Amino acid sequence: MTDEQMRDVFESYGHGEMYTRFKTPLYVTGLFDEVEEEQLENFFNNIELSPQVFFDEFRFWFQYFSVSQRNY
């Protein structure tokens, strides 16, 4: 997913400020390198996070959610 796509999804779900704080860690970790917009949208539709969440917490919950959505 591109930076622009990430920003758009975060902003669409009211997390624009969170995206601003997480932009660099998202780039450095590559968390969304192989993720489609739909997966991030599904995450925001199903998981509610505090606006003050730390990046490590966000990453944990996103990865947890992603694994739980896999079809084996």
Side-chain angles (χ1 to χ4, degrees):
M1 183 176 356
T2 67
D3 286 340
E4 185 176 322
Q5 290 170 315
M6 281 187 273
R7 186 187 71 239
D8 289 346
V9 174
F10 272 83
E11 288 178 352
S12 294
Y13 286 87
H15 298 299
E17 188 272 328
M18 187 186 298
Y19 173 76
T20 301
R21 290 189 298 121
F22 293 168
K23 183 177 181 178
T24 300
L26 287 168
Y27 173 76
V28 170
T29 63
L31 182 64
F32 294 148
D33 285 356
E34 303 297 324
V35 172
E36 299 294 327
E37 283 180 80
E38 184 179 307
Q39 190 175 354
L40 182 57
E41 290 171 348
N42 288 338
F43 173 75
F44 284 134
N45 281 326
N46 290 286
I47 303 291
E48 188 173 325
L49 298 170
S50 163
Q52 290 80 29
V53 68
F54 291 109
F55 178 74
D56 287 337
E57 267 184 289
F58 175 85
R59 180 174 53 186
F60 170 83
W61 287 115
F62 181 78
Q63 290 174 323
Y64 179 88
F65 179 80
S66 296
V67 169
S68 73
Q69 300 300 303
R70 289 185 186 159
N71 294 324
Y72 294 99

